[in-house]
């Protein structure tokens, strides 16, 4: 995998030209930040293949395995008992306690225990992230994000009217790496919030413990909040003390300016259930409850009942899922590496292979390439430039393949379609 261009990768990424939709704004009276939002490129590709049974779909970030029956049964039992009413804004007390025990159990030796008064149950990880933005970011605030990253994480601060600054990871020696000096230089006393997703969607890059310690110490000095999206913490393939990726919660004090987002979606095969949680300083939790009230009021009780069972039977779900995902990764990546003109390295965590087609003259526009693959090869992948804020030349030519496939053979079938489609096949 080649070294990224030598040009500076820190960029202002404030979105489209501010007056591009001025006429539409006058007609609709909507906020310019909303009008300027980019349509999801992943959805654009998926829409091109919707309704086509001949397309192998690897574009969305979810497994094709159904939620385990015992989790579904818990939700059904709750509904049958008539639990169809509002719950506490912050979530069922018993679920908050269960999440606190679960999160504490994942911590390394010496880490601070996580109490229930630091937990807010949310209507999905996306909702948790947006609540964090609403709680911390004012219009005009400076926000720094590490990219490539799932597009919601860069769209949300723009919705809030923030000034977004991006620091890009670099592909070096077949692995994505962070230039720590560059990131530290970007985080100043003017920086309200740092956004980090690790393990990362789409690259699989993960912060080391030393990098987390450096960032936490620096943000303490600058007074900068850290928003850590750690939803892939359990989906980690390297040996560690606790079987998880490094977490900021392993090293932070309860009162640190740190918000950590988690979700039941990935580790419990519950993407469609829309349930997540936030870990925050205890003094912040009552105010987060007010925000939940004005966003969603609460998460559905029957979904929370299912989550309680999921946590109680974690060992019946997550370890097998991680082992299967590792098999999927170790099946797909060598097949991709064997294709001429394809550059890819195995991800340390997550559920994605982020790979590059080296012929930039043919495949430089990742969105166009992904759409062509749907139509011409029956292969559904996510375009790499969906995970960068324009301008982003380093994203061109990249594609994301979600390898969370119940049938591992589908991955080989997909590579065969890609191989036949590539020039010279």
């Amino acid at each position: 995998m080649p070294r990224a261009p030598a040009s500076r990768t820190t960029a202002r990424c404030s979105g489209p030209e501010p007056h591009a939709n001025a006429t539409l704004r006058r007609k609709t009276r909507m906020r310019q930040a909303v009008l300027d939002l980019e349509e999801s490129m992943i959805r654009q590709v998926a829409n091109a293949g919707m309704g086509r049974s001949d397309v192998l779909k690897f574009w969305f970030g979810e497994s094709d395995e159904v939620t385990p029956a015992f989790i579904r049964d818990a939700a059904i039992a709750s509904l049958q008992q008539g639990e169809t009413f509002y719950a506490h804004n912050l979530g069922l007390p018993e679920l908050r306690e269960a999440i606190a025990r679960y999160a504490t159990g994942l911590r390394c030796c010496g880490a601070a225990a996580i109490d229930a008064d630091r937990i807010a149950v949310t209507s999905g990880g996306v909702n948790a992230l947006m609540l964090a933005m609403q709680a911390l970011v004012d219009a005009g605030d400076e926000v720094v994000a590490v990219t490539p990253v799932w597009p919601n994480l860069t769209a949300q601060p723009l919705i809030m009217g923030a000034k977004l600054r991006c620091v890009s990871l670099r592909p070096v020696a077949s692995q994505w790496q962070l230039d720590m000096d560059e990131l530290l230089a970007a985080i100043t006393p003017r920086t309200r919030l740092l956004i980090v997703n690790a393990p990362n969607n789409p690259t699989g890059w993960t912060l080391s413990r030393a990098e987390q310690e450096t960032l936490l110490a620096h943000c303490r000095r600058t007074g900068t909040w850290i928003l850590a999206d750690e939803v892939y913490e359990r989906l980690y393939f390297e040996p560690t003390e606790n079987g998880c990726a490094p977490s900021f919660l392993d090293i932070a004090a309860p009162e640190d300016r740190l918000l950590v987002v988690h979700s039941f979606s990935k580790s419990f095969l519950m993407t469609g259930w829309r349930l997540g949680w936030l870990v925050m300083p205890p003094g912040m939790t009552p105010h987060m409850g007010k925000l939940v009230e004005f966003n969603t009021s609460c998460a559905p009780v029957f979904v929370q009942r299912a989550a309680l069972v999921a946590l109680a039977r974690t060992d019946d779900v997550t370890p097998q899922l991680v082992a299967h995902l590792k098999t999927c990764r170790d099946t797909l990546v060598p097949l991709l590496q064997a294709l001429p003109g394809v550059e890819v390295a195995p991800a340390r965590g997550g559920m994605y292979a982020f790979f590059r087609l080296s012929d930039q003259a043919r495949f430089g526009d990742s969105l166009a390439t992904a759409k062509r693959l749907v139509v011409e090869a029956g292969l559904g992948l996510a375009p790499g430039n969906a995970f960068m804020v324009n301008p982003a030349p380093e994203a061109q030519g990249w594609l994301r393949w979600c390898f969370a496939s119940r049938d591992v053979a589908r991955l080989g079938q997909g590579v065969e379609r890609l191989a036949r489609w590539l020039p010279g096949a």
Side-chain angles (χ1 to χ4, degrees):
M1 190 175 292
R3 183 177 293 272
S7 60
R8 182 174 176 82
T9 57
T10 304
R12 291 285 178 183
C13 22
S14 56
E17 289 298 318
H19 303 296
N21 294 316
T23 302
L24 181 58
R25 183 184 183 185
R26 285 195 296 270
K27 291 181 178 179
T28 64
R29 299 188 183 276
M30 292 182 67
R31 292 177 57 232
Q32 194 65 44
V34 176
L35 296 176
D36 288 344
L37 287 175
E38 299 280 353
E39 181 185 3
S40 167
M41 294 185 187
I42 303 172
R43 281 287 180 182
Q44 288 184 51
V45 176
N47 289 342
M50 289 293 183
R52 287 187 51 176
S53 60
D54 61 325
V55 176
L56 290 174
K57 304 174 179 65
F58 303 104
W59 41 48
F60 292 141
E62 65 178 349
S63 172
D64 59 355
E65 290 194 58
V66 174
T67 306
F70 61 84
I71 298 176
R72 289 180 277 140
D73 289 344
I76 292 170
S78 174
L79 287 170
Q80 289 177 334
Q81 292 165 17
E83 293 188 316
T84 59
F85 302 99
Y86 293 129
H88 194 289
N89 296 138
L90 290 169
L92 296 174
E94 55 266 50
L95 179 56
R96 295 174 67 202
E97 291 283 355
I99 290 172
R101 290 192 300 271
Y102 170 79
T104 299
L106 297 180
R107 304 282 61 82
C108 291
C109 181
I114 299 169
D115 296 327
D117 66 353
R118 298 178 61 194
I119 303 294
V121 178
T122 63
S123 298
V126 183
N127 179 231
L129 290 164
M130 195 66 201
L131 287 166
M133 298 290 177
Q134 291 174 336
L136 295 176
V137 177
D138 278 322
D141 280 349
E142 182 177 280
V143 174
V144 172
V146 178
T147 57
V149 75
W150 184 49
N152 291 43
L153 282 167
T154 50
Q156 288 174 336
L158 295 178
I159 291 171
M160 298 303 299
K163 298 175 182 177
L164 182 63
R165 184 179 181 90
C166 299
V167 176
S168 179
L169 302 170
R170 299 172 180 176
V172 179
S174 299
Q175 290 289 347
W176 289 86
Q177 297 182 9
L178 173 67
D179 186 327
M180 181 59 75
D181 290 338
E182 184 179 1
L183 180 56
L184 295 180
I187 303 168
T188 73
R190 297 186 304 275
T191 306
R192 176 64 171 168
L193 180 67
L194 167 66
I195 302 172
V196 184
N197 167 224
N200 173 258
N201 172 11
T203 67
W205 162 80
T206 304
L207 279 164
S208 68
R209 173 70 71 239
E211 288 172 328
Q212 288 179 330
E213 290 171 344
T214 298
L215 281 175
L216 181 59
H218 183 78
C219 288
R220 283 169 173 166
R221 288 191 294 270
T222 61
T224 300
W225 282 85
I226 298 173
L227 176 59
D229 179 352
E230 297 185 355
V231 300
Y232 296 99
E233 178 189 19
R234 297 292 306 274
L235 307 186
Y236 194 59
F237 310 122
E238 304 293 320
T240 59
E241 173 189 336
N242 55 356
C244 301
S247 169
F248 278 101
L249 293 172
D250 293 328
I251 59 173
E255 297 294 343
D256 271 318
R257 294 185 177 187
L258 171 69
L259 285 168
V260 176
V261 170
H262 257 288
S263 171
F264 286 89
S265 292
K266 312 300 182 181
S267 300
F268 295 96
L269 298 171
M270 295 175 66
T271 51
W273 296 74
R274 312 315 304 131
L275 198 69
W277 72 87
L278 270 167
V279 184
M280 70 200 87
M284 189 178 191
T285 310
H287 303 289
M288 192 62 71
K290 292 184 291 186
L291 266 183
V292 172
E293 168 64 26
F294 297 125
N295 276 267
T296 59
S297 294
C298 59
V301 173
F302 67 92
V303 176
Q304 296 188 63
R305 294 293 184 202
L308 275 164
V309 173
L311 289 173
R313 296 185 59 177
T314 300
D315 290 344
D316 294 330
V317 185
T318 307
Q320 295 90 327
L321 173 62
V322 175
H324 180 70
L325 289 176
K326 187 175 186 299
T327 298
C328 290
R329 181 199 68 169
D330 295 345
T331 298
L332 176 63
V333 170
L335 292 174
L336 289 174
Q337 289 173 330
L339 296 180
V342 174
E343 300 161 357
V344 63
R348 292 189 177 95
M351 54 175 64
Y352 311 105
F354 199 52
F355 67 98
R356 183 175 184 259
L357 301 178
S358 58
D359 188 344
Q360 292 294 285
R362 290 176 181 263
F363 307 120
D365 185 337
S366 298
L367 178 58
T369 298
K371 288 181 176 180
R372 285 184 58 196
L373 279 167
V374 170
V375 175
E376 300 171 12
L379 181 62
L381 305 175
N385 44 357
F387 303 92
M388 302 293 292
V389 179
N390 292 330
E394 63 269 35
Q396 299 307 318
W398 293 88
L399 296 162
R400 189 196 72 176
W401 188 316
C402 179
F403 54 67
S405 177
R406 179 176 53 185
D407 181 5
V408 178
R410 289 180 67 248
L411 302 172
Q413 295 166 8
V415 174
E416 290 174 2
R417 294 188 183 191
L418 177 61
R420 288 195 299 268
W421 182 81
L422 289 170

